[in-house]
């Protein structure tokens, strides 16, 4: 990818397949955490991932991962030098994308995810759409992460030494062959080593799509996020997203998709320092306790 005209490596890894469905992966890639983030950006239901996924995203990390896949379940677990993004749930949460070994502000990070296929085929869960005529299927997943900061590297992390993060997430996907449902929840505990309160932000997402024709898919999403941050200026909670998104996908051809959607947050989300993550979801930080922010997006995707 390119950032301000500078080339930037997104992911690169080597994976070795072994007997009994096992594998080893080494390099820079996404840790096994949120399913919505593990699904490629081109395969999302809406124009972008949910606000919840943007704020709890694992980003790209450097590490080693062990995996095992069978017909009914798959497990991935690995050690990384940072999982959470710099615009994530806490300053100590930091992904190690494009960093040297000596610059990571994380002592260690661990993530593990298990997916259980109740019916269908693994490949159909690579996206969030279920086209007419496709096989029905169900999949459930759960993941955990744990990491500890050492305050090393960037100046922004100088006061985070010893901070600990623990998180758990669960999700359920149901494809009907012409319609789909997806539900997920995430909870994270941020425990500082020194002064400061322990916080426990959490969020839930529910979304679904329905093909009204062979090429047109209507979709809707509901999200609730409690970021568990107190605004000391006006002593009000301004850390919530309680919003809806609805829109339509039109598939002109294989790899050519037009998406338009409308999102509306009934609450105020200004108590976080995650402007970049909010921008990624089509929102900006609210000012004070202002609420009812909305966003209208349109996207033409050419996939090749």
């Amino acid at each position: 990818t390119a950032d301000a005209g500078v080339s930037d490596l997104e992911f690169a890894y080597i994976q070795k397949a072994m007997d009994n469905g096992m594998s080893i992966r080494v390099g820079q890639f996404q840790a096994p955490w949120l399913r919505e983030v593990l699904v490629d950006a081109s395969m999302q239901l809406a124009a972008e991932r949910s606000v919840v996924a943007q704020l709890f995203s694992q980003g790209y990390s450097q590490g080693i991962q062990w995996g095992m896949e069978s017909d009914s379940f798959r497990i991935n677990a690995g050690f990384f030098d940072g999982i959470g993004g710099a615009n994530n749930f806490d300053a100590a949460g930091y992904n190690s994308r494009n960093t040297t070994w000596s610059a990571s502000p994380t002592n260690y990070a661990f993530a593990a995810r298990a997916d259980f296929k109740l019916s269908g085929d693994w490949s159909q869960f690579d996206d969030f759409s279920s086209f007419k005529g496709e096989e029905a299927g169900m999949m459930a997943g759960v993941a955990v992460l744990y990491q500890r900061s050492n305050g090393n590297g960037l100046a922004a992390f100088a006061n985070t030494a010893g901070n600990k993060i623990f998180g758990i997430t669960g999700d359920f996907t149901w494809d009907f062959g012409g319609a789909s449902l997806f539900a997920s929840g995430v909870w994270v505990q941020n425990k500082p080593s020194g002064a400061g309160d322990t916080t426990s932000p959490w969020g839930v997402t529910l979304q679904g799509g329905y093909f009204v024709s062979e090429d047109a898919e209507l979709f809707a999403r509901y999200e609730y996020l409690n970021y568990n941050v107190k605004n000391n200026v006006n002593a009000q909670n301004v850390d919530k997203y309680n919003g809806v998104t609805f829109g339509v996908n039109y598939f002109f051809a294989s790899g050519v998709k037009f998406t338009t959607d409308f999102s509306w947050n009934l609450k105020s989300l200004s108590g976080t320092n995650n402007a970049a993550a909010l921008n990624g979801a089509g929102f900006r930080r609210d000012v004070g306790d202002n609420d009812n922010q909305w966003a209208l997006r349109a996207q033409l995707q050419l996939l090749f």
Side-chain angles (χ1 to χ4, degrees):
T1 63
D3 184 8
V6 179
S7 296
D8 188 24
L9 179 67
E10 191 165 80
F11 66 89
Y13 61 83
I14 298 173
Q15 182 164 311
K16 169 63 176 177
M18 300 183 293
D19 295 335
N20 301 317
M22 293 190 293
S23 64
I24 292 290
R25 176 183 294 187
V26 179
Q28 181 168 290
F29 52 93
Q30 291 177 318
W33 173 232
L34 292 186
R35 164 163 157 72
E36 192 176 340
V37 177
L38 292 172
V39 173
D40 191 84
S42 64
M43 302 297 180
Q44 298 294 316
L45 199 61
E48 220 351 314
R49 296 180 176 95
S50 65
V51 172
V52 171
Q54 293 280 344
L55 291 173
F56 291 92
S57 170
Q58 58 264 49
Y60 286 90
S61 303
Q62 297 170 357
I64 181 170
Q65 175 179 289
W66 169 85
M68 183 175 68
E69 181 176 315
S70 71
D71 184 60
S72 58
F73 71 90
R74 63 187 177 194
I75 300 173
N76 290 290
F79 287 96
F80 306 89
D81 57 355
I83 294 176
N87 296 297
N88 207 286
F89 28 78
D90 182 76
Y94 179 77
N95 72 67
S96 55
R97 172 179 170 178
N98 297 330
T99 59
T100 64
W101 67 271
S102 60
S104 174
T106 305
N107 267 350
Y108 53 82
F110 168 80
R113 179 176 176 88
D115 293 305
F116 304 92
K117 180 168 64 68
L118 307 177
S119 60
D121 185 79
W122 284 119
S123 61
Q124 74 185 81
F125 301 111
D126 291 339
D127 62 20
F128 284 120
S129 295
S130 180
F131 293 87
K132 286 180 176 290
E134 284 189 349
E135 183 180 5
M138 289 188 291
M139 185 183 76
V142 62
V144 296
L145 70 78
Y146 181 82
Q147 66 182 33
R148 184 180 187 275
S149 172
N150 60 20
N152 187 25
L154 302 178
F157 302 97
N159 298 321
T160 65
N163 287 12
K164 299 175 182 178
I165 294 177
F166 171 77
I168 185 169
T169 180
D171 51 78
F172 179 75
T173 306
W174 193 352
D175 288 346
F176 296 92
S180 63
L181 283 175
F182 170 73
S184 68
V186 57
W187 176 87
V188 171
Q189 183 183 75
N190 305 307
K191 187 175 182 179
S193 60
D197 298 328
T198 297
T199 60
S200 300
W202 60 274
V204 294
T205 303
L206 177 64
Q207 68 179 28
Y210 177 75
F211 277 86
V212 295
S213 70
E214 295 293 331
D215 303 315
E217 179 188 30
L218 301 179
F219 62 84
R221 172 193 289 158
Y222 172 75
E223 301 174 63
Y224 186 86
L225 167 73
N226 188 331
Y227 213 69
N228 195 24
V229 176
K230 191 78 169 180
N231 187 308
N232 295 322
V233 176
N234 54 24
Q236 295 185 29
N237 285 318
V238 287
D239 56 354
K240 294 178 174 61
Y241 184 92
N242 180 29
V244 294
T245 299
F246 51 88
V248 59
N249 290 317
Y250 190 83
F251 297 84
F252 290 97
S254 178
V256 183
K257 180 177 73 170
F258 176 76
T259 302
T260 183
D261 61 33
F262 175 83
S263 298
W264 181 21
N265 181 20
L266 303 173
K267 295 290 187 177
S268 177
L269 191 59
S270 65
T272 76
N273 294 316
N274 298 287
L278 291 175
N279 291 346
F283 279 85
R284 299 178 180 177
R285 288 182 60 190
D286 285 306
V287 178
D289 58 356
N290 290 351
D291 54 14
N292 286 303
Q293 184 179 165
W294 58 269
L296 179 64
R297 303 177 293 191
Q299 173 180 277
L300 178 63
Q301 176 178 286
L302 304 177
L303 186 63
F304 54 89

